[in-house]
Amino acid sequence: MKKNYLFTVSIIVAILILSAVSIFVGAFDVSLSGILSGDYKQLIILLNSRLPRVFAALCVGSGMSVAGLIMQNLCMNKFVSPTTGATISSAQLGIVISMLMLPGASLATRSTFSFIFSILGTWLFVWFIQKIQIKDVVMVPLIGIMFNSVIGGLVSYIAYENDLTQILSNLLVGDFSLILAGRYEIVFLILPLLIISFIYSNYFNIVGMGENFSNNLGVNYKFIMFLGLSITAIITASVVVTVGTISYIGLIIPNIVSMYKGDKIRKSLLDVALFGAMFVLLCDLIGRIVIRPFELPIELISGIIGSVIFIVMLFARLNHGRRLNKKGVSHAKKIISPK
Amino acid sequence: MQKKLSLLNKLQLLSLIAICFVFIYQFIFVDWNFFEYAMYIRTPKLIAIIICSFCIGYASMIFQSIINNRIVTPSLLGMNSLYILIHTSLVFFVGLDNPLVLNKNLTFMIDVLLMAILTIVIYGFLFKKTRYNILYILLSGTVLGTLFSSISNTMIRVLDPNEYDTLLTELVAGFDHVNTDLIMISILLIVLVFVIFFRDLKILDVLSLGRTQTINLGVDYDKSILKLLLCVSFLITIATALVGPISFLGLIAANLTREIFKTYKHVYLMLGSFLVGLIVLLGGQILIEHIFGFSTQISALVNLFGGAYFLYLILKNKGV
Amino acid sequence: MEVKNLNKFYGSKQVVENVSFELPKNKVISFIGPNGAGKSTVLNIMTRLISSDSGQVLLENKDLKKWNSKELAKKIAILTQTNHITAKLTVAELVAFGRFPYSGSNLNKEDRKHINMAIEYMELQDFKNRFIDELSGGQRQRVFIAMVLAQDTEYIFLDEPTNNLDIYHSSNMMKLVRRLCDDLNKTVTLVLHEINFASAYSDYIGAFKNGKLYKFDTVHEVMTKDNLKSLYNVNFDITDFNGKPISIYY
């Protein structure tokens, strides 16, 4: 118990340090003394660019991680996430279609389209994987990636045909450099969603055990499933609308945390959120430091780190499965594979 | 009706269609006043497309037999992203204006060599480690693909943060900027590959019986797999260097061919896969250039339909 | 064929421990033993499907590893239980693959003779042009045996050939094994789970336990109450049926 507490506290400390560094790193010098002495220029930069950037990173990191956590529980599969489900690409599709149908659409309109599409896309994906009785756990992410490729192909097609390629590259490669006060506040929508997730966390756990199990405990399976997937989709969409696509965070963070904390969502949700926020802050910092004064988009950094961790996870699972099979126990498989 | 056609008939029919498409592509809407100019523009591209479909068709078929699965193709496992990564790293480490990089043929040779080594190391390891478990190979392959392209993207941005787009088109070929300088050396390399690996290609039929039976029938399995993998690596390098990555072409070509021919004989399968790939590419290109009017890239369309086809195959077979 | 001091490890676990024996010619030899005793592993090593960590397998006094792989394929043939084939093949085409070690893909007159003989021997004439994925499990098994026959080897190895077959097909399979040995002078080695099949149809039995060769002898020597009890940790009764020891356990 005490050890768990320590984990949480050390992450919070790390987040505070990283946020401070993040505020003072950039093309324009901002210093503590400058701000305190009331330097107008420095204050403007701080309020319009640096602080929004830190807030956005915190929201995006915690949101994407929790979205992944919920999705993994509801689908009973550790390899599912907005990236390896159809959620991210559906959110992109929503944005592209809103721009196609209503040129010059406001951020709010775009977000609404994105929400609707990502909810529908996620539902379609979950329906598909439940429909083809899947034999192996890793089949699900594979199908998810293919879904992404199909929807992604559609997105690029629409973008190319309608001269939206500039928007396309912003959409596909997540980047914090465009975050400015007044243009990113949609990500704060993530905060109430995190709170709702926390309140319903026990329900998500129960629904993750299966339809019969939930009915037995008097939990409305369909409603909770709908709620959980919708929360995931809205979080993802609000990230895509403001920063663009960020892959793998929802996939790896919950897995890393669950190694320490186990799979009880109520116990791990806070840590997942904090750890995700820290990870995104860190990736963003790396991206800003490597080729100063230029920036690397966060999507590249998280793509590299994330895919490496994902492959490591995959091989760990392979060895793990083999060991279990040798013992004649396929218990783990029963737990994580959908029925 | 279809059933009565012999394998040879089917091949002839496909060739006929392919040749028709070649002519349509070459001469459709040609402005006869500028005939020579049009040919000058179209011919190299046509040759590049033919070479590309040849390489992808053959490579996909060979690869599918190596791992004994119909849904996996080398491009799905990120092999073309690996080539792009190698090429980008080369430029990244020696510099853009290095004489080595300016000589396109020389760079290509080095790429081919590095690609061969890395293919063997990475995919050989992947096969061994997963013990030919298709699902794991496929999933880690696709993720490796993202990893490779993230790294090469990063390198291009670091190389020149301002001119990212220009540099990208320069380093990675595409259908709107085919790498015509490499056509000669590609043809040479293909001939060389077939001379060297001719004997190994003959065991492909046996390979479709699975590892045990292949060994039982007197084939040195590990060595042959290695050689065939090398062969695949060369072909994919050529295709990607010429026209850039098209992930799902191999999947479409190989599976349609298997549907059409319904045989295990690789002589037919490989040729068929080449022709089907060519028909798909040329057909798509004719549609895009003359009907949609150029703005869409064919790779986007191929990925759209290829991904859908993949999902259909999974749904149909209830698994990989 | 002779096996000398075979050892095989999976990680730190030793699955084959110091196994040595000589395979008698023109006999049927069955390997029996509980699950994980190493019998299949030994069979796989003897047919170069997996390599041993130490020890040798000698064929005509020459180490298996030193044989040319094509030549070896003319001497020994192996059929495992998993013969999942994705390729679209007809029966005749699959059987023809048995001639691959001899002529590659270009069949000559001699090859065709062997292929036809194998098909006739396995009574597959009526199926000749059917695709193998349209056949039943028992029929498919016979097609594979026909392929192995076309391969025309001295030694035939079968890994659990009766697995997934019902009683009728299993006993037919065992009768066929007997005929391969008696009519065609093959040396047939097989891994079996049903000890009474092993007893009724083989000449020799190799009994494995915990990776070691517990006993390698004639059927009557191995099939005793005491031997079986210490092999399987179950009480056995042995009765005599047509001169063969048959075990009863419950």
Side-chain angles (χ1 to χ4, degrees), chain A residues 79 84 128 131-133 135-139 141-147 149-151 153-154 156-157 160-162 166 173 175 247-248 290-291 294-297 299-301 303-308 310-311 314-315 317-319 322 326, chain B residues 76 125-126 128-131 133 135-136 138-144 146-151 153-155 157-159 161-162 165 248 292-297 300-301 303-312 314-315 317-320:
Chain A
F79 291 107
T84 47
F128 189 87
K131 167 150 175 134
I132 57 162
Q133 313 252 306
K135 292 168 226 144
D136 201 310
V137 194
V138 298
M139 186 84 179
L142 195 62
I143 294 174
I145 290 172
M146 290 306 150
F147 254 93
S149 149
V150 176
I151 302 174
L154 200 61
S156 348
Y157 171 69
Y160 273 115
E161 283 308 300
N162 298 285
Q166 188 53 44
V173 182
D175 191 349
S247 331
Y248 290 112
V290 175
I291 45 166
F294 297 100
E295 286 190 15
L296 286 173
E299 164 69 355
L300 292 181
I301 310 288
I304 293 172
I305 301 178
S307 47
V308 170
F310 184 56
I311 291 170
L314 206 59
F315 281 119
R317 150 99 205 155
L318 190 67
N319 292 334
R322 215 171 262 158
K326 264 186 195 157
Chain B
L76 286 187
F125 174 78
L126 203 60
K128 253 212 166 89
K129 180 87 187 165
T130 58
R131 298 193 201 162
N133 182 329
L135 270 176
Y136 284 85
L138 194 46
L139 190 56
S140 35
T142 27
V143 178
L144 273 179
T146 354
L147 176 65
F148 296 150
S149 47
S150 292
I151 300 177
N153 249 324
T154 307
M155 282 179 168
R157 277 174 201 263
V158 172
L159 219 47
N162 284 322
D165 290 328
F248 283 95
F292 290 118
F294 243 138
S295 49
T296 301
Q297 298 237 354
L301 282 190
N303 284 0
L304 177 62
F305 290 112
Y309 189 48
F310 183 93
L311 290 175
Y312 160 76
I314 285 186
L315 199 60
N317 303 337
K318 299 232 163 210
V320 272

Side-chain angles (χ1 to χ4, degrees), chain A residues 80-312:
Chain A
V80 173
S81 71
T83 319
T84 47
T87 316
I88 282 197
S89 50
S90 315
Q92 296 166 351
L93 184 64
I95 296 171
V96 173
I97 286 187
S98 76
M99 312 207 57
L100 183 67
M101 288 169 52
L102 311 159
S106 68
L107 198 59
T109 322
R110 267 189 252 170
S111 310
T112 317
F113 266 81
S114 186
F115 293 160
I116 295 170
F117 272 85
S118 64
I119 290 175
L120 291 179
T122 313
W123 262 102
L124 185 71
F125 170 69
V126 173
W127 171 80
F128 189 87
I129 58 173
Q130 286 188 339
K131 167 150 175 134
I132 57 162
Q133 313 252 306
I134 287 166
K135 292 168 226 144
D136 201 310
V137 194
V138 298
M139 186 84 179
V140 176
L142 195 62
I143 294 174
I145 290 172
M146 290 306 150
F147 254 93
N148 271 337
S149 149
V150 176
I151 302 174
L154 200 61
V155 170
S156 348
Y157 171 69
I158 296 176
Y160 273 115
E161 283 308 300
N162 298 285
D163 242 358
L164 300 171
T165 39
Q166 188 53 44
I167 286 140
L168 183 70
S169 69
N170 288 344
L171 268 186
L172 294 181
V173 182
D175 191 349
F176 280 110
S177 62
L178 297 173
I179 294 284
L180 289 173
R183 289 185 46 190
Y184 80 106
E185 282 76 5
I186 295 239
V187 290
F188 287 123
L189 195 62
I190 291 173
L191 294 176
L193 291 173
L194 288 183
I195 295 171
I196 299 176
S197 312
F198 189 73
I199 295 171
Y200 277 95
S201 53
N202 281 338
Y203 289 92
F204 294 147
N205 254 135
I206 292 170
V207 164
M209 307 276 190
E211 186 155 9
N212 292 338
F213 190 94
S214 341
N215 288 340
N216 182 39
L217 291 177
V219 171
N220 188 334
Y221 179 83
K222 290 219 165 83
F223 172 72
I224 298 295
M225 196 77 175
F226 179 78
L227 181 76
L229 290 179
S230 307
I231 289 178
T232 310
I234 295 177
I235 290 179
T236 310
S238 49
V239 171
V240 175
V241 165
T242 42
V243 242
T245 302
I246 304 184
S247 331
Y248 290 112
I249 290 179
L251 182 74
I252 53 170
I253 303 293
N255 277 293
I256 294 174
V257 174
S258 95
M259 286 192 281
Y260 296 94
K261 287 271 185 170
D263 287 331
K264 176 101 175 122
I265 305 184
R266 176 149 277 180
K267 255 168 52 188
S268 60
L269 190 129
L270 185 64
D271 289 287
V272 168
L274 290 172
F275 199 79
M278 182 189 81
F279 184 81
V280 169
L281 267 178
L282 189 68
C283 287
D284 182 42
L285 259 181
I286 296 175
R288 283 155 72 186
I289 292 171
V290 175
I291 45 166
R292 290 176 73 183
F294 297 100
E295 286 190 15
L296 286 173
I298 176 138
E299 164 69 355
L300 292 181
I301 310 288
S302 75
I304 293 172
I305 301 178
S307 47
V308 170
I309 297 180
F310 184 56
I311 291 170
V312 171

Side-chain angles (χ1 to χ4, degrees), chain B residues 68 211 213 215-216 218 264, chain C residues 48-49 77-78 89 147 151:
Chain B
N68 216 346
R211 176 175 180 272
Q213 280 313 320
I215 297 178
N216 175 44
Y264 67 97
Chain C
R48 48 109 167 67
L49 290 183
I78 163 92
L89 281 169
M147 185 193 102
Q151 206 179 330

Side-chain angles (χ1 to χ4, degrees), chain B residues 200-214:
Chain B
D200 299 287
L201 290 175
K202 285 193 140 180
I203 70 153
L204 282 170
D205 291 349
V206 181
L207 219 50
S208 49
L209 299 182
R211 176 175 180 272
T212 311
Q213 280 313 320
T214 310

Side-chain angles (χ1 to χ4, degrees), chain B residues 102-299:
Chain B
L102 293 178
N103 183 339
K104 277 197 165 183
N105 285 336
L106 189 62
T107 328
F108 180 67
M109 296 301 284
I110 300 173
D111 287 340
V112 167
L113 215 68
L114 286 175
M115 177 79 176
I117 298 169
L118 284 176
T119 306
I120 294 292
V121 171
I122 295 174
Y123 294 95
F125 174 78
L126 203 60
F127 292 171
K128 253 212 166 89
K129 180 87 187 165
T130 58
R131 298 193 201 162
Y132 290 87
N133 182 329
I134 286 303
L135 270 176
Y136 284 85
I137 292 176
L138 194 46
L139 190 56
S140 35
T142 27
V143 178
L144 273 179
T146 354
L147 176 65
F148 296 150
S149 47
S150 292
I151 300 177
S152 43
N153 249 324
T154 307
M155 282 179 168
I156 297 176
R157 277 174 201 263
V158 172
L159 219 47
D160 192 343
N162 284 322
E163 298 296 321
Y164 171 72
D165 290 328
T166 333
L167 206 53
L168 189 67
T169 27
E170 191 170 313
L171 289 180
V172 183
F175 266 81
D176 48 352
H177 47 281
V178 169
N179 207 339
T180 44
D181 305 341
L182 297 177
I183 286 182
M184 272 322 286
I185 193 168
S186 298
I187 295 177
L188 271 175
L189 187 62
I190 291 178
V191 173
L192 199 67
V193 164
F194 275 82
V195 171
I196 297 175
F197 295 108
F198 182 70
R199 287 171 63 93
D200 299 287
L201 290 175
K202 285 193 140 180
I203 70 153
L204 282 170
D205 291 349
V206 181
L207 219 50
S208 49
L209 299 182
R211 176 175 180 272
T212 311
Q213 280 313 320
T214 310
I215 297 178
N216 175 44
L217 293 175
V219 172
D220 190 337
Y221 186 78
D222 290 333
K223 212 160 138 194
S224 306
I225 291 283
L226 222 60
K227 284 189 187 165
L228 289 171
L229 200 55
L230 268 179
C231 188
V232 170
S233 138
F234 290 137
L235 294 174
I236 291 291
T237 311
I238 296 170
T240 320
L242 281 181
V243 297
I246 326 172
S247 306
F248 283 95
L249 182 66
L251 180 88
I252 297 176
N255 278 291
L256 283 182
T257 308
R258 283 182 199 275
E259 286 295 317
I260 296 170
F261 283 88
K262 290 198 192 332
T263 178
Y264 67 97
K265 289 182 179 132
H266 281 75
V267 182
Y268 295 100
L269 286 179
M270 291 191 291
L271 265 172
S273 173
F274 157 46
L275 293 172
V276 172
L278 185 61
I279 292 170
V280 168
L281 273 188
L282 285 179
Q285 205 58 29
I286 292 167
L287 277 179
I288 285 170
E289 283 186 25
H290 302 291
I291 293 172
F292 290 118
F294 243 138
S295 49
T296 301
Q297 298 237 354
I298 186 159
S299 44

Side-chain angles (χ1 to χ4, degrees), chain A residues 59-86:
Chain A
C59 287
V60 165
S62 50
M64 289 301 280
S65 316
V66 171
L69 177 74
I70 297 173
M71 211 162 161
Q72 284 169 17
N73 266 280
L74 293 180
C75 296
M76 291 181 271
N77 188 313
K78 288 265 176 197
F79 291 107
V80 173
S81 71
T83 319
T84 47

Side-chain angles (χ1 to χ4, degrees), chain C residues 74-85:
Chain C
K74 298 176 190 170
K75 294 282 180 190
I76 60 177
I78 163 92
L79 204 56
T80 53
Q81 34 182 332
T82 48
N83 286 300
H84 179 69
I85 289 189

